[in-house]
Amino acid sequence: ASIIMGQEHKLVTEDQVRKASARAKRLGWGSSWVAATNGSGGGASGGVVILWRLGHDIWLAPGDNGTLVEGRIGYVFFRSKVLGVCCLYAAYFKDGLGLRAYNLALVKKLIQHAEAHGLPLMAGGDFNVHPQEWNTVMLNKAGLVVLADPSDASYVSTKASSTLDYFILSGCLRNA
């Protein structure tokens, strides 16, 4: 892998994030971190990161920290010969909500951000939503598609397995 979109790193403090970023760099990776937040039970909740092998053309605007939603959605801009310029997102949705309430607001925020910059998007996430639950009208209107293999479980426990981690991307990137 040369680009990783990670979720639930649970690093809350600026110092934790700075140290993780420095370690990633020593290992040959650039990174953009969105710190976790303090959860209702007092522990860390969420946190997302985008990691890339150094040498990729990835950036943020000066003064931008890549945070779209605290603890939940981060982004960077990316240029490649194959994809052109696009926006990469790492997302972590709340468990147990499906596409209602807070998670629906996250989807709308992501779509609004993508529409504002006008670039194709690729979001890798722990969406905590089964791929078939997505509102295809909303995604089609935004020109987005879900890229998931429902037969390949991304979450496995002793009691259950399901596909909750996958990609959402602009339709123009689907076959790139």
Side-chain angles (χ1 to χ4, degrees):
S2 63
I3 297 176
I4 299 170
M5 299 158 186
Q7 301 80 28
E8 270 190 291
H9 61 62
K10 300 195 182 214
L11 304 176
V12 176
T13 69
E14 189 176 309
D15 188 53
Q16 290 172 319
V17 168
R18 184 186 51 73
K19 286 178 181 176
S21 180
R23 181 155 200 255
K25 191 168 188 174
R26 282 193 308 274
L27 295 171
W29 294 85
S31 59
S32 180
W33 300 77
V34 173
T37 57
N38 291 312
S40 57
S45 176
V48 296
V49 60
I50 301 172
L51 296 151
W52 61 90
R53 281 288 185 199
L54 293 175
H56 280 298
D57 190 2
I58 293 182
W59 72 93
L60 288 167
D64 189 351
N65 68 3
T67 299
L68 184 60
V69 178
E70 283 188 26
R72 297 290 168 176
I73 302 176
Y75 65 93
V76 295
F77 296 101
F78 171 63
R79 179 181 319 171
S80 81
K81 291 178 184 175
V82 174
L83 301 178
V85 177
C86 60
C87 192
L88 305 178
Y89 296 86
Y92 176 59
F93 285 22
K94 286 191 176 182
D95 185 31
L97 297 180
L99 275 178
R100 293 180 301 282
Y102 186 80
N103 287 346
L104 186 58
L106 292 177
V107 174
K108 289 178 180 177
K109 187 97 169 170
L110 192 146
I111 290 172
Q112 289 169 347
H113 187 260
E115 288 173 346
H117 60 62
L119 297 171
L121 73 87
M122 182 180 299
D126 179 351
F127 293 104
N128 282 310
V129 175
H130 297 283
Q132 62 272 21
E133 290 181 50
W134 282 91
N135 178 333
T136 55
V137 172
M138 179 175 55
L139 291 179
N140 288 343
K141 184 178 177 188
L144 303 175
V145 295
V146 173
L147 187 60
D149 181 354
S151 67
D152 186 18
S154 62
Y155 170 80
V156 178
S157 74
T158 56
K159 297 180 182 180
S161 64
S162 59
T163 303
L164 303 174
D165 306 271
Y166 44 85
F167 292 92
I168 294 175
L169 49 121
S170 296
C172 63
L173 299 178
R174 184 179 189 126
N175 296 316

